[in-house]
Amino acid sequence: MFQIRNKDVAGRIGEIRTRSGSIRTPALLPVVNPIKQEVEVDVIKSIGFESIITNAYILKKRREREALERGVHRLLGFQGPIMTDSGGYQILEYGKIDVTPRDIVEFQEKIGSDIAVILDLPTGADLSREEAEKRVVETIKSARESINYRSRSDMLWVYPVQGGVFLDLVSYSSSIFRELDYDIAAIGSPTPMMERYMFPALVDVIVTAKSVLPPSTPIHLFGAGHPMIFPLIVALGVDTFDSAAYILYARDDRMIFEDGTVRLQDIEELACTCPVCTKITAKELKSMTKYEREKHIAIHNLYISMREIKRIREAIRGGYLWELVERRARSHPRLYSALASLSKYRSFLAKHAPFLKTRIRGIFLFDEVSLARPEVALHEERLLENYTKPQHSKVLVLVGILEDKPLTSSEKYLKLRNMVTAVFGGNENLVHVAFYHPFWGIIPEEISECFPLSQFEMSVEACKRRGIVEHAERIILNYLLKNSYNYTIVIVSEDFSEICENVLKTLRKLMGERCIETDWNTLGKVLSFLKEKISRFSGHCRDSYM
Ligand SMILES: [Zn+2]
């Protein structure tokens, strides 16, 4: 029922098949209120939403007979996939509700939901650990029990992952998913976290759940809220999410944009080209009746949300989702903190990212935050775990080259290789050249054209940042601990002076006099000197190669 078609970072484009049609993911399911819905369902559909979510508990309480007679699709006037929530959110809001897990399962089956949620007990973000644990246990009990009440096989059932800010509980709750027969895992309770901009905590919850849940399972996030967080949650592997933000914000006269929210009263010009904003002025919008205004703003909010979803899907296809996440992270300092917190999840991202990816452009490397991107982590992992230096090399020349890519086509590299040939004659394979680099640490010459080692743009200013210098130094040192050479020559480059300084200091400790610092003027002499040394002291070397 779920097919993954494309991937970038841990995000994916996929297709969830339901009885009422397919949902292209990532997808936002707008919340449709079964009692009072300002924006007609047809309008929501015309904006591009393929599926919606409504609340089965409210339907049961307020329009039960009608829902049972007509079914949820006819009742709401929407023929595409409909997901129904169980009332867990109402428990979170009001503490208690008066239905049983069995009532909710049977009701959702009878009204013909395509994707149904069992009755869960959300943990929110404020409960004590003890209370949170109790709710996780109750939700698991409800999940086990609810399977027995199911009689239809043409619906998708959702297992709610609870635990809130207690990550061990999130992990435990996620681990039970594998034992039970459910189609989709939904991460519960993020709404209080989103309302309070607890974005780093949200990242922790998503990564914890994703690390335990099977990779092929579609992941839903309840109440995802504002479009500015969509790129981040998708990049972490969330496939679908629902939100009532479009109407909740509209009721408050707040217009949603990809990078934040603005109150209508503070707007003089509608800087938006959606069909709503191109037809009216801010002044006209302000002078509408409250009902009309709400409706107009809600439709604008839906257009903006849909545009962001399409943009995310394009970014996954084009391989620049990470860049989109970085851009959106600048919308709010807490969102930026959430992005920065990804550095602790480098191996998670590297594990979930596609190994080979067709991209429409090279990757952008800005600052320390970019170190968390999967390409950087994957390079480090492959370099330090799988790579071994060329068999016969005895001298490593480390050179930093800023301009020109691929690096092996650069003028400096060609000059260096010519010098090596001139000095070593037919034995130039004794010399191995590698590029030292702020983001990649080390790029051995023979792999420098592999993606993405020549397909990137970086901020030169970043080379001076402490976090980046330390990152590069760590990789270079680990590389040299794994691959031993008789000599290492470091050609000092002004562009990377901080890195050179640090690396030289460490290498001198490691290699003593076998680490030689040089510049382009004295490089020829150093090479000749080393050629002499190698031929004099290495019998094996002389016999075989010199
Ligand atoms: Zn607009």
Side-chain angles (χ1 to χ4, degrees), residues 456-467:
F456 66 89
E457 296 295 332
M458 71 164 185
S459 142
V460 180
E461 193 272 334
C463 309
K464 298 182 177 24
R465 287 170 175 268
R466 200 186 149 87

Side-chain angles (χ1 to χ4, degrees), residues 296-312:
H296 276 76
I297 296 176
I299 296 173
H300 154 89
N301 290 347
L302 283 168
Y303 270 112
I304 297 296
S305 302
M306 187 33 117
R307 187 165 73 190
E308 191 65 355
I309 295 290
K310 287 181 179 169
R311 197 178 273 136
I312 291 168

Side-chain angles (χ1 to χ4, degrees), residues 234 276 387:
V234 170
V276 174
Y387 177 85

Side-chain angles (χ1 to χ4, degrees), residues 125-145:
D126 296 313
L127 295 180
S128 67
R129 209 208 119 86
E130 202 187 356
E131 185 56 32
E133 195 174 326
K134 225 156 72 189
R135 291 191 173 203
V136 166
V137 170
E138 274 300 310
T139 300
I140 293 171
K141 196 175 142 218
S142 169
R144 288 191 198 278
E145 191 184 322

Side-chain angles (χ1 to χ4, degrees), residues 422-475:
V423 174
F424 282 79
N427 295 311
E428 63 257 31
N429 61 353
L430 288 172
V431 178
H432 184 213
V433 177
F435 306 94
Y436 54 80
H437 192 275
F439 288 93
W440 306 116
I442 282 209
I443 307 174
E445 56 185 332
E446 70 278 20
I447 62 164
S448 80
E449 287 181 39
C450 297
F451 180 87
L453 303 173
S454 282
Q455 296 80 15
F456 66 89
E457 296 295 332
M458 71 164 185
S459 142
V460 180
E461 193 272 334
C463 309
K464 298 182 177 24
R465 287 170 175 268
R466 200 186 149 87
I468 293 188
V469 170
E470 283 170 1
H471 160 85
E473 189 190 348
R474 181 171 49 80
I475 297 178

Side-chain angles (χ1 to χ4, degrees), residues 131-288:
E131 185 56 32
E133 195 174 326
K134 225 156 72 189
R135 291 191 173 203
V136 166
V137 170
E138 274 300 310
T139 300
I140 293 171
K141 196 175 142 218
S142 169
R144 288 191 198 278
E145 191 184 322
S146 293
I147 294 174
N148 304 324
Y149 309 134
R150 295 184 337 208
S151 61
R152 293 178 70 149
S153 57
D154 56 354
M155 290 168 64
L156 301 180
W157 279 96
V158 176
Y159 173 87
V161 170
Q162 295 297 348
V165 292
F166 303 104
L167 299 181
D168 59 323
L169 294 180
V170 173
S171 180
Y172 172 65
S173 175
S174 306
S175 70
I176 304 297
F177 178 87
R178 284 180 192 268
E179 295 174 18
L180 305 175
D181 177 24
Y182 281 87
D183 307 289
I184 296 171
I187 300 172
S189 316
T191 313
M193 291 186 200
M194 306 245 203
E195 280 168 357
R196 277 177 258 159
Y197 285 52
M198 294 162 66
F199 301 133
L202 182 67
V203 167
D204 292 339
V205 172
I206 297 173
V207 172
T208 303
K210 278 285 294 184
S211 305
V212 179
L213 292 163
S216 56
T217 303
I219 308 290
H220 183 83
L221 182 70
F222 281 121
H226 201 288
M228 72 181 182
I229 70 152
F230 294 172
L232 176 66
I233 60 175
V234 170
L236 295 175
V238 171
D239 302 294
T240 58
F241 30 95
D242 63 276
S243 174
Y246 72 100
I247 186 65
L248 298 178
Y249 281 79
R251 283 184 194 144
D252 213 14
D253 273 343
R254 288 192 291 166
M255 299 186 78
I256 287 176
F257 294 96
E258 290 88 342
D259 56 355
T261 310
V262 189
R263 279 178 306 180
L264 179 60
Q265 65 186 80
D266 299 327
I267 294 177
E268 204 170 312
E269 271 188 277
L270 293 172
C272 172
T273 51
C274 86
V276 174
C277 299
T278 43
K279 285 194 195 84
I280 49 168
T281 64
K283 203 176 158 193
E284 285 164 347
L285 189 56
K286 285 174 193 169
S287 62
M288 284 179 179

